[in-house]
Amino acid sequence: MYGNIEIDAEKRSNIRPQHILFDLDGTLIDSREGITKSVAYALTHFGINVEDLSQLYAFIGPPLSDSFRFFYHFTENQAQLAVQKYRERYAVKGVKENKLYKGIENLLQNLKSNGYQLYLATSKPENFAKEIIDYFSLTSYFTFIGGSRLDNTFHDKVDVINYVLQTNHISCKNAIMIGDRKYDIEGANLAGIASIGVLYGFGNKQELQECHCTTILHTVDDIRQYFCGK
């Protein structure tokens, strides 16, 4: 470890690829308000009222249908209906209830000016992801924006990552995934690319270490220093 950067020594040779894939929720934006309020809205359809929205933070990261089944023991049909109800609110209100983490635009500017190619790889439906990135005027920084589909295509994070890599003809050896949850790191591992876990989002150090993250960074500025230097 040096500074606020922790690197697995065995994976040191994989660092600083030119193609950088970013997660969205918990990595570029603080999306807890829009997601938790939309989950709570969906749950009310089933007679479940959640007053403390922090109880729903676990929904940030994994596919929604999986979370409804895991946390509320919904059947497959119930989970799919819950996702529909979630999107009913999210498409109108939730998509605008996000905050850009401090320093993100400066980070993207620095990465682009240093020759890195930037991509979005999110489990959020691609149309929502594009709307959010455009809302924050970040679209010009990204070579490609990839997400899941409303028909449940690209359900798992590895599917989204492979979709981005294959569509853009990117070699696994020259790509790295940046995210805040184990789903991002596990997806990167399955896709055969290096990974950076960040601690300012919704995950934690133990979670990132247990899924064998290549590198752990503490802040947005740590990402800039990691790729661009002081």
Side-chain angles (χ1 to χ4, degrees), residues 70-154:
F70 182 79
F71 295 113
Y72 289 92
H73 309 292
F74 282 7
T75 64
E76 177 64 28
N77 287 338
Q78 288 175 323
Q80 292 305 319
L81 177 56
V83 170
Q84 291 178 23
K85 300 303 292 184
Y86 169 94
R87 290 172 178 166
E88 185 176 281
R89 181 190 184 278
Y90 191 85
V92 177
K93 296 182 178 180
V95 74
K96 300 175 182 178
E97 295 171 327
N98 300 292
K99 297 177 182 178
L100 194 67
Y101 284 119
K102 184 178 180 180
I104 286 296
E105 185 166 10
N106 179 258
L107 166 66
L108 300 179
Q109 288 175 341
N110 274 269
L111 293 173
K112 286 288 286 186
S113 64
N114 278 273
Y116 292 100
Q117 296 294 310
L118 311 182
Y119 309 81
L120 195 71
T122 174
S123 293
K124 188 184 295 296
E126 193 169 289
N127 61 318
F128 291 151
K130 288 180 177 179
E131 186 174 347
I132 292 168
I133 291 297
D134 188 60
Y135 175 79
F136 287 110
S137 301
L138 302 178
T139 303
S140 63
Y141 296 113
F142 290 92
T143 299
F144 185 81
I145 294 175
S148 64
R149 302 289 173 79
L150 294 177
D151 64 1
N152 211 33
T153 306
F154 308 141

Side-chain angles (χ1 to χ4, degrees), residues 211-225:
C211 56
H212 308 293
C213 184
T214 310
T215 305
I216 296 177
L217 303 178
H218 292 243
T219 69
V220 171
D221 194 57
D222 287 342
I223 303 175
R224 182 192 61 78
Q225 291 186 40

Side-chain angles (χ1 to χ4, degrees):
M1 176 174 176
Y2 54 94
N4 284 328
I5 301 175
E6 303 174 33
I7 301 176
D8 184 330
E10 294 181 0
K11 300 179 181 178
R12 191 178 298 272
S13 62
N14 290 330
I15 65 176
R16 295 180 184 82
Q18 291 300 303
H19 298 276
I20 305 174
L21 282 64
F22 280 95
D23 174 45
L24 181 58
D25 300 317
T27 303
L28 298 181
I29 61 172
D30 180 344
S31 53
R32 73 188 74 195
E33 180 181 356
I35 291 177
T36 56
K37 286 184 176 179
S38 297
V39 170
Y41 172 85
L43 290 173
T44 60
H45 180 78
F46 298 88
I48 301 171
N49 295 307
V50 179
E51 295 185 4
D52 182 2
L53 294 179
S54 67
Q55 296 177 7
L56 303 177
Y57 286 172
F59 276 79
I60 304 173
L64 283 170
S65 58
D66 291 353
S67 294
F68 282 118
R69 288 196 299 268
F70 182 79
F71 295 113
Y72 289 92
H73 309 292
F74 282 7
T75 64
E76 177 64 28
N77 287 338
Q78 288 175 323
Q80 292 305 319
L81 177 56
V83 170
Q84 291 178 23
K85 300 303 292 184
Y86 169 94
R87 290 172 178 166
E88 185 176 281
R89 181 190 184 278
Y90 191 85
V92 177
K93 296 182 178 180
V95 74
K96 300 175 182 178
E97 295 171 327
N98 300 292
K99 297 177 182 178
L100 194 67
Y101 284 119
K102 184 178 180 180
I104 286 296
E105 185 166 10
N106 179 258
L107 166 66
L108 300 179
Q109 288 175 341
N110 274 269
L111 293 173
K112 286 288 286 186
S113 64
N114 278 273
Y116 292 100
Q117 296 294 310
L118 311 182
Y119 309 81
L120 195 71
T122 174
S123 293
K124 188 184 295 296
E126 193 169 289
N127 61 318
F128 291 151
K130 288 180 177 179
E131 186 174 347
I132 292 168
I133 291 297
D134 188 60
Y135 175 79
F136 287 110
S137 301
L138 302 178
T139 303
S140 63
Y141 296 113
F142 290 92
T143 299
F144 185 81
I145 294 175
S148 64
R149 302 289 173 79
L150 294 177
D151 64 1
N152 211 33
T153 306
F154 308 141
H155 177 77
D156 296 321
K157 196 57 178 271
V158 64
D159 298 327
V160 177
I161 293 173
N162 282 329
Y163 161 54
V164 173
L165 296 177
Q166 293 167 10
T167 302
N168 295 278
H169 309 289
I170 301 170
S171 167
C172 291
K173 294 181 180 180
N174 201 22
I176 191 166
M177 178 74 207
I178 302 179
D180 67 309
R181 296 298 312 277
K182 65 179 181 180
Y183 311 99
D184 305 308
I185 308 309
E186 290 171 347
N189 292 341
L190 290 170
I193 66 174
S195 60
I196 289 177
V198 296
L199 294 178
Y200 58 80
F202 299 107
N204 58 63
K205 185 174 181 179
Q206 180 179 350
E207 174 181 329
L208 297 172
Q209 288 178 326
E210 288 178 350
C211 56
H212 308 293
C213 184
T214 310
T215 305
I216 296 177
L217 303 178
H218 292 243
T219 69
V220 171
D221 194 57
D222 287 342
I223 303 175
R224 182 192 61 78
Q225 291 186 40
Y226 179 83
F227 286 100
C228 306
K230 298 290 185 180

